[in-house]
Amino acid sequence: RDIDSDSIGECALELKPSAMAHLVDREVAGRVILQPAPGTDPSCKRVSYSFQSLAGLVSDSESGLGSHPGSFHRLVSDADAAASDEPLPRCRSASVSGLNDPFAALSPKRQGSYSPRSRVLVKSKTASMQPSPFTPLVPDNQEGLVVFDENFKTFHLKAGASQYSFCVDQYGSLEHLHFGNWVGTGHDLTFLSETDPALTFEPAPAGTQYSVGELLRMIEGEESVNPQQLWMLSTHMKDKRSGDWHMARVENLTWRLRNLWSRNSQEQEATVTAQQVLKVLEKSGVPLKRDDAEITGAAPDHTAPEHQTDQRGKPGRQGEKGSKLLEVSEFGTGDFRTPSLDVCFRKDGSRLLPLVYQHHRIIAGIVPSSSGLPLLGARNPEGAQTLVVDMIDTYTEMKVQLLYTVFPDISAISRRVVVRNSSRLGFSEVDLTKCMSGTFDFLTDDWHLVSLHGGWACERQITTRRLQEGTVHLGSNRGVSSHQMNPFCALTAGPPSEDHGHCYGFCLLYSGNWLMEVEQTTTGCVRVNAGLSNTHFSWDLGAQEAFESPECICVFSDKGLGGMTSTFHRLLSERLIAPRWHDLVCPVLINTWEALYFEVEHHKILELAKPAKHAGVELLVLDDGWFGRRNDDTTSLGDWKHDATKLPRGLPGLAEDLNAMGLKLGLWVEPEMVNKDSELYEKHPEWVLHHPSRLRSEGRNQLVLDLTRVAVQDYIIESVSRILESADIRYIKWDMNRALTDAYSAQLPAKQQGEVYHRYVLGLYRIFEVVTSKFPHVLFESCASGGGRFDAALLAWCPQAWCSDNSDSFSRTRIQMGTSMWAPVRCMGAHIAACPSHQTHRTHILKTRFIVALWGTFGLELDLTKVSQEDLAEIKELVALRQSLCQVTLHGNFFRLPGFGYPGASHANSAGIGESHVFAWMFVSPDQQRAVVSAIIFHRDTVGKFPSRLKLRGLRPELTYDVTEHVPTPVEQGVFNGIFQAGGPRFKHQRRLQLTGSVLMEVGLPVHFNFDGDSLLLELKVHAATPSRSDAALGHFGSTH
């Protein structure tokens, strides 16, 4: 092609136009030699580029990076360029709207340097570089959160104050080096693996990823071969495996092969058969390895070539892949730990997938999901950077893309995987049977595992264990994230501590079947795999199709579990929850369930609304029973039309009456389910998950709709939209009251039945995305028989979730302690419920129920028409108090408070780790000017013994705080043990305190409890006038309460 000489300086280029077009059009790997023109500066060197790289070059004068007129620099997406110390030129932000296949842009051909249909080989000075259609490379003026050190082939990701580093080893694997406090770039961290001892009898990787046999396998399915392309392919292999003596010999052989056919043929692009190539290779002087001999039938030659290098001189651990710390692990290639991926190639039944590094890109922002999965930064990508590392199986050309995203000032890494079937060798039919979002390997330490277990009405109980050799499996195969286990775990170096020690937290953004594998090997090293459950999972990955995993978050903290929790809370609040809800103060609501159950008649609802409004309630939520013929749980799910008998004026009339009283209307729905006794089921019995030839199992008298069907998704979207359009509804409680069974979709072919569970979740995410986008003013709360689907993923659409159907104060304290490990307080649905508790029949004072409900969104779930006037007046005062404290409790920094308790084995377990009957927590405003402190005792069986002092956290040591105690404890009047005790409200402290933050955190507060279920609520405010140093140290006592 004609190339403007100004755009290439004084460099002369000789290239047959048709040949270049042919090669670029077919993505052929090859090299172009750029030779300085005669008469130019002698210092100009001859340079070599691949065709793909050449397509994205810009000249010296444009980039300002060249040192002589004959050079070319700054490849747009070449790994070398992306890894260079200088920033890439003129990369800017790009819109992602309207993008149909964002992951298509992850392919190098779509990254800006090379397009198979483009004929622009060298850009002119005036031509502007086109950014990627989905997100740009890192711009010049942006801080580099991702750095590639070309000298040591090492990636460094700056995640807040932490650093995540890994390298490309001599075999092309990605070896993990460091995840911890920031140590800086420029260090040769590959020394970390050099001194590790070799393990006897452990297999080592092949000395090379390419061989003559490999080259033959690449052409064995072809009827004819272009010798020119064959030579270019081998040249590309040699370049990617620089220093590989064997591939250099193969490249030389194919060069001779090319010249031989060029001389014997009239046409330069003559083709030959694979058998002819085979014969030439057999007659060549290149010694064949064992796998080559198996193909050719030649006798193996065990003589080592004279140019073979000593593998012991190469950096990195000496071959034992099974003991390396890896970023991704595949089955059957020497790593016997649980793998990251499992595939099956139907062509030959092989499950081998040896992956080697191919190239990488560093991208500003995030790479959008191609399948609708929730992602951190999807709505707020500002400042984020994403590293995309391409791994490839050189035999089948199956590609695996590892995506790492980091955000400024947050010590967390998010990871996910894209598996792309780009095979051209008859391996187009692939079953993907396991796909972990991230593999995290750690060296030996005193590792302890923290996880969240439980069941219905006792979700997310904190469980700890010291790791031993073997594998711990955490997960759910119920189709939902489940009550039984939560998609979260943490590793701590040493016994779990709230305020010190290294800690790594893992949270999976997924609402279906999930798996976390925590394996400690005989070496003491630990691997954590997090991703989709591989039970009943198999994805039919067709040719040129891609599969993406959910996102996994890994948080590092050097300040124990408390530091990990703070990072999770900030990350999810800032980067996952929709920006329109960032400053949300959840409305005080009353739910009709425990007050009316199915008897939700118009007049009864208004009777409940009157005292609710008097108490300060802002929103009334109409729970189950308002639709169809729903008088019990056996009928009408799926028929989302109001019951005219119960609601003669319908939802619009109810909303009007509530609005006239100053209340908003909220609504309960369960759109994913259907009863057999319903109009929907009679019309579409095929719309439920079931095998048509088998009996079906039911749960709560209901069946699960097949959300893999687009028609079902559209029906739910239409039904919910019709409801929200019919009346002024400001809140939706989205429930889901049974797990998935009989997970068979009659619409999918047999080979795709392993996709049902995942496709169900993708369908659910599509429904949420459409509905919440259509009604952005409606607040959605997720629910699944309580906390059966309380996972991070749904926070992308539902900024709050119902913690549990159990609102008993004791039970809720443990549930919310566990939930707070990763979930922000503002997301935790918590209410003052009826007393005695409908779940445990325990009785608690109203103060204690209030304090626990304050630790969440806050609402009421009791029949206010049946409470006494005295209690109603107290509820009104408590609601008003909540309104004055909610900015701190909902948007402040949360701290669990350890070290508080009575003598005994459970002493100091007040932060939820281990057995305890005493718990304490607090909230601190972002500016540290205000704080709210809570504590509760379950069982006071230590009469006559004193508890330790309650030490606070998160305050500014130099500031003085006014300490105010709210809500006195009611004490009965009478004679106890022969001593008269005056009754009435009683505070823990009879004086108002003024104490510095240092005193409150280092000395603490004395707290004494009077009876089982007693509690404490304190508010701290910075004192207007700073006291003297002596007063600050000793504390100033003011007026009594």
Side-chain angles (χ1 to χ4, degrees):
R1 298 182 63 85
D2 294 332
I3 302 177
D4 182 8
S5 61
D6 289 340
S7 67
I8 58 171
E10 301 176 14
C11 206
L13 179 65
E14 295 183 9
L15 186 66
K16 185 175 179 179
S18 61
M20 173 66 89
H22 173 81
L23 295 172
V24 172
D25 212 27
R26 288 159 177 76
E27 303 182 54
V28 174
R31 309 297 295 178
V32 169
I33 305 299
L34 299 184
Q35 178 72 37
T40 57
D41 188 343
S43 65
C44 293
K45 302 295 184 181
R46 186 177 70 169
V47 292
S48 171
Y49 291 108
S50 67
F51 287 114
Q52 291 90 335
S53 300
L54 184 64
L57 294 176
V58 294
S59 64
D60 303 332
S61 56
E62 181 174 348
S63 64
L65 300 171
S67 58
H68 57 82
S71 65
F72 284 81
H73 298 278
R74 314 317 302 155
L75 313 189
V76 176
S77 69
D78 184 85
D80 296 335
S84 177
D85 293 334
E86 296 92 350
L88 293 172
R90 297 190 290 109
C91 292
R92 295 295 180 257
S93 299
S95 172
V96 300
S97 61
L99 186 62
N100 293 324
D101 184 12
F103 274 108
L106 288 177
S107 173
K109 67 181 181 181
R110 299 287 296 277
Q111 187 56 45
S113 68
Y114 162 66
S115 172
R117 302 303 172 205
S118 172
R119 294 295 186 268
V120 181
L121 302 180
V122 181
K123 299 180 183 292
S124 67
K125 296 179 183 179
T126 58
S128 62
M129 293 177 61
Q130 296 298 319
S132 162
F134 66 101
T135 184
L137 302 178
V138 177
D140 295 345
N141 59 354
Q142 183 167 329
E143 178 187 4
L145 301 181
V146 182
V147 176
F148 180 68
D149 189 326
E150 176 68 25
N151 294 325
F152 305 116
K153 302 294 183 185
T154 302
F155 297 91
H156 301 287
L157 283 71
K158 181 174 176 56
S162 65
Q163 180 170 341
Y164 190 100
S165 300
F166 60 93
C167 70
V168 183
D169 72 3
Q170 71 270 32
Y171 300 108
S173 298
L174 299 184
E175 182 171 6
H176 180 78
L177 299 173
H178 171 67
F179 189 17
N181 287 318
W182 178 257
V183 297
T185 59
H187 304 291
D188 180 11
L189 296 182
T190 59
F191 81 92
L192 293 171
S193 65
E194 290 179 2
T195 58
D196 288 347
L199 300 179
T200 306
F201 302 121
E202 286 291 305
T208 176
Q209 295 295 333
Y210 301 108
S211 64
V212 175
E214 185 113 15
L215 192 63
L216 286 176
R217 285 191 291 271
M218 290 184 177
I219 64 173
E220 64 179 348
E222 306 291 337
E223 294 182 358
S224 60
V225 180
N226 187 316
Q228 176 85 358
Q229 293 187 22
L230 188 62
W231 166 68
M232 291 177 180
L233 183 60
S234 63
T235 304
H236 176 70
M237 292 178 176
K238 183 188 73 170
D239 176 66
K240 289 297 181 184
R241 301 264 82 76
S242 58
D244 187 337
W245 68 270
H246 194 69
M247 207 59 236
R249 296 291 298 274
V250 173
E251 187 273 338
N252 181 266
L253 175 64
T254 56
W255 170 264
R256 287 183 284 145
L257 181 68
R258 168 184 174 274
N259 290 338
L260 174 65
W261 255 271
S262 296
R263 290 194 301 267
N264 295 337
S265 175
Q266 297 290 335
E267 301 178 4
Q268 184 176 359
E269 297 184 6
T271 59
V272 296
T273 65
Q275 288 299 321
Q276 290 173 312
V277 174
L278 183 63
K279 290 180 181 179
V280 173
L281 293 176
E282 288 177 352
K283 295 177 181 178
S284 70
V286 178
L288 298 180
K289 297 173 66 180
R290 180 173 299 276
D291 59 344
D292 307 328
E294 292 174 356
I295 295 175
T296 63
D301 186 343
H302 299 287
T303 305
E306 57 182 0
H307 296 96
Q308 185 172 7
T309 58
D310 185 0
Q311 292 290 330
R312 291 174 297 176
K314 292 187 176 182
R317 193 175 297 138
Q318 303 308 306
E320 287 76 9
K321 194 172 184 179
S323 60
K324 282 193 174 187
L325 307 182
L326 300 173
E327 292 294 305
V328 62
S329 172
E330 66 279 350
F331 165 78
T333 59
D335 185 0
F336 298 102
R337 293 165 292 183
T338 177
S340 313
L341 300 159
D342 271 335
V343 299
C344 179
F345 297 98
R346 296 181 200 160
K347 177 181 178 180
D348 58 5
S350 169
R351 295 181 177 271
L352 300 178
L353 189 72
L355 297 172
V356 294
Y357 167 83
Q358 188 180 30
H359 44 64
H360 72 273
R361 290 162 301 292
I362 301 171
I363 297 168
I366 70 166
V367 178
S369 169
S370 63
S371 56
L373 289 165
L375 298 176
L376 290 176
R379 296 182 177 90
N380 179 21
E382 182 180 359
Q385 291 183 16
T386 298
L387 169 66
V388 182
V389 181
D390 288 355
M391 307 291 286
I392 189 170
D393 172 16
T394 57
Y395 176 35
T396 65
E397 295 192 3
M398 176 75 74
K399 294 181 181 179
V400 176
Q401 294 170 321
L402 308 181
L403 282 75
Y404 302 76
T405 300
V406 287
F407 299 91
D409 304 321
I410 296 183
S411 295
I413 301 285
S414 79
R415 291 189 57 181
R416 53 190 169 119
V417 167
V418 178
V419 182
R420 188 178 298 278
N421 184 2
S422 54
S423 174
R424 298 179 297 173
L425 304 175
F427 288 91
S428 59
E429 295 185 346
V430 178
D431 290 320
L432 178 65
T433 56
K434 183 178 183 180
C435 185
M436 293 288 101
S437 302
T439 292
F440 304 87
D441 283 356
F442 300 90
L443 277 175
T444 302
D445 209 319
D446 182 21
W447 292 114
H448 286 64
L449 177 65
V450 180
S451 54
L452 303 177
H453 298 250
W456 177 79
C458 59
E459 298 90 336
R460 293 175 297 286
Q461 308 293 300
I462 300 174
T463 303
T464 64
R465 73 192 85 185
R466 173 181 272 121
L467 289 183
Q468 297 178 332
E469 291 183 17
T471 304
V472 177
H473 294 267
L474 308 173
S476 169
N477 294 317
R478 296 170 176 262
V480 292
S481 45
S482 87
H483 303 86
Q484 286 68 28
M485 296 185 188
N486 192 257
F488 160 87
C489 73
L491 281 183
T492 64
S497 169
E498 191 65 29
D499 51 13
H500 67 273
H502 283 196
C503 171
Y504 301 87
F506 306 89
C507 183
L508 185 67
L509 271 63
Y510 193 61
S511 308
N513 291 352
W514 61 276
L515 175 65
M516 289 185 179
E517 301 168 309
V518 185
E519 178 182 11
Q520 179 169 307
T521 66
T522 55
T523 65
C525 296
V526 170
R527 166 168 294 176
V528 177
N529 272 338
L532 295 172
S533 172
N534 57 337
T535 302
H536 310 303
F537 171 78
S538 177
W539 195 270
D540 177 33
L541 198 60
Q544 306 307 316
E545 292 182 351
F547 177 86
E548 67 169 321
S549 74
E551 188 171 42
C552 178
I553 309 168
C554 182
V555 165
F556 167 74
S557 166
D558 62 355
K559 297 179 176 61
L561 294 172
M564 175 202 72
T565 290
S566 296
T567 301
F568 270 124
H569 288 193
R570 180 187 169 197
L571 184 62
L572 297 176
S573 296
E574 295 179 1
R575 298 292 182 167
L576 184 62
I577 295 174
R580 63 181 179 275
W581 303 120
H582 280 183
D583 300 321
L584 170 69
V585 173
C586 311
V588 177
L589 65 84
I590 185 167
N591 189 290
T592 64
W593 182 242
E594 290 195 8
L596 302 176
Y597 288 103
F598 291 102
E599 298 177 5
V600 285
E601 299 172 8
H602 188 103
H603 69 280
K604 290 185 178 180
I605 296 171
L606 295 184
E607 288 176 4
L608 178 64
K610 292 176 182 177
K613 175 59 181 175
H614 175 75
V617 169
E618 302 165 287
L619 172 74
L620 185 144
V621 179
L622 178 57
D623 210 284
D624 199 354
W626 61 269
F627 54 92
R629 296 170 285 106
R630 186 76 167 175
N631 297 315
D632 54 38
D633 62 4
T634 64
T635 180
S636 300
L637 282 176
D639 300 339
W640 299 108
K641 299 177 183 178
H642 72 271
D643 183 343
T645 303
K646 296 177 181 178
L647 303 174
R649 297 180 56 210
L651 294 175
L654 178 62
E656 290 175 4
D657 289 346
L658 291 175
N659 292 166
M661 298 172 61
L663 295 173
K664 301 297 183 183
L665 173 63
L667 204 62
W668 175 96
V669 294
E670 193 176 3
E672 301 164 62
M673 301 293 153
V674 64
N675 289 120
K676 287 193 295 185
D677 182 11
S678 67
E679 295 177 5
L680 177 62
Y681 184 79
E682 291 178 3
K683 185 177 180 180
H684 291 291
E686 75 282 3
W687 276 11
V688 300
L689 288 176
H690 75 290
H691 192 288
S693 302
R694 295 179 181 273
L695 296 175
R696 292 171 300 194
S697 57
E698 297 182 21
R700 201 173 180 253
N701 301 301
Q702 58 197 49
L703 299 168
V704 184
L705 289 173
D706 183 0
L707 266 59
T708 70
R709 296 173 180 257
V710 175
V712 174
Q713 299 170 25
D714 291 341
Y715 173 80
I716 294 175
I717 292 171
E718 179 185 353
S719 299
V720 176
S721 298
R722 185 172 58 251
I723 294 169
L724 293 177
E725 290 168 350
S726 70
D728 184 13
I729 299 171
R730 300 301 182 90
Y731 166 101
I732 288 290
K733 181 177 180 180
W734 189 294
D735 209 342
M736 195 265 199
N737 280 312
R738 63 155 293 182
L740 273 60
T741 57
D742 309 296
Y744 183 94
S745 175
Q747 182 169 268
L748 295 175
K751 63 181 180 180
Q752 290 186 268
Q753 291 302 320
E755 304 174 8
V756 171
Y757 282 105
H758 185 56
R759 287 187 180 274
Y760 181 96
V761 176
L762 296 181
L764 176 68
Y765 290 161
R766 175 181 174 253
I767 293 169
F768 271 126
E769 178 64 26
V770 173
V771 173
T772 57
S773 298
K774 190 174 180 180
F775 302 95
H777 65 286
V778 177
L779 175 62
F780 281 75
E781 177 175 289
S782 65
C783 177
S785 304
R789 199 162 58 184
F790 197 122
D791 53 67
L794 288 185
L795 296 182
W797 301 281
C798 306
Q800 58 192 56
W802 185 231
C803 267
S804 175
D805 280 344
N806 188 349
S807 292
D808 174 89
S809 296
F810 290 178
S811 302
R812 268 307 186 99
T813 298
R814 286 197 173 100
I815 291 169
Q816 291 173 200
M817 272 290 176
T819 307
S820 72
M821 282 287 172
W822 64 265
V825 172
R826 53 167 297 173
C827 303
M828 294 160 41
H831 296 170
I832 297 176
C835 185
S837 167
H838 286 202
Q839 291 77 41
T840 65
H841 302 289
R842 276 194 291 248
T843 299
H844 304 291
I845 60 175
L846 187 55
K847 170 188 177 180
T848 297
R849 287 182 281 155
F850 167 75
I851 288 174
V852 176
L854 188 65
W855 182 9
T857 59
F858 191 82
L860 305 177
E861 193 135 359
L862 69 166
D863 190 350
L864 292 180
T865 65
K866 296 180 180 179
V867 302
S868 66
Q869 290 300 313
E870 182 181 358
D871 286 346
L872 185 60
E874 184 177 1
I875 290 173
K876 181 178 180 179
E877 293 178 359
L878 294 177
V879 170
L881 178 58
R882 182 267 183 182
Q883 299 293 57
S884 70
L885 302 177
C886 61
Q887 282 291 347
V888 180
T889 60
L890 294 176
H891 298 289
N893 299 316
F894 173 77
F895 298 91
R896 294 176 294 271
L897 301 179
F900 174 58
Y902 287 86
S906 64
H907 172 70
N909 292 345
S910 51
I913 300 296
E915 289 296 325
S916 180
H917 295 301
V918 179
F919 297 88
W921 61 93
M922 67 181 293
F923 317 85
V924 181
S925 63
D927 60 5
Q928 298 175 296
Q929 300 291 301
R930 296 179 66 195
V932 177
V933 183
S934 302
I936 184 174
I937 184 171
F938 289 180
H939 305 297
R940 186 176 178 266
D941 54 0
T942 52
V943 176
K945 296 182 179 180
F946 288 180
S948 55
R949 295 191 180 100
L950 178 61
K951 296 181 180 180
L952 309 188
R953 301 176 62 200
L955 305 175
R956 289 180 59 181
E958 72 279 8
L959 294 182
T960 299
Y961 294 87
D962 291 326
V963 181
T964 302
E965 183 177 356
H966 290 298
V967 193
T969 299
V971 177
E972 293 183 7
Q973 178 177 310
V975 177
F976 301 92
N977 296 317
I979 302 174
F980 175 78
Q981 174 179 285
R986 182 176 299 178
F987 289 99
K988 306 297 181 189
H989 300 95
Q990 299 304 312
R991 301 179 182 180
R992 189 180 300 274
L993 304 177
Q994 289 179 0
L995 302 169
T996 62
S998 59
V999 170
L1000 290 166
M1001 292 188 292
E1002 299 298 331
V1003 179
L1005 290 168
V1007 178
H1008 293 273
F1009 294 113
N1010 296 310
F1011 49 81
D1012 291 359
D1014 196 3
S1015 54
L1016 169 75
L1017 179 65
L1018 302 175
E1019 181 183 6
L1020 279 61
K1021 290 184 180 179
V1022 169
H1023 187 60
T1026 303
S1028 66
R1029 183 176 299 273
S1030 59
D1031 287 340
L1034 298 176
H1036 174 73
F1037 298 95
S1039 60
T1040 60
H1041 287 274

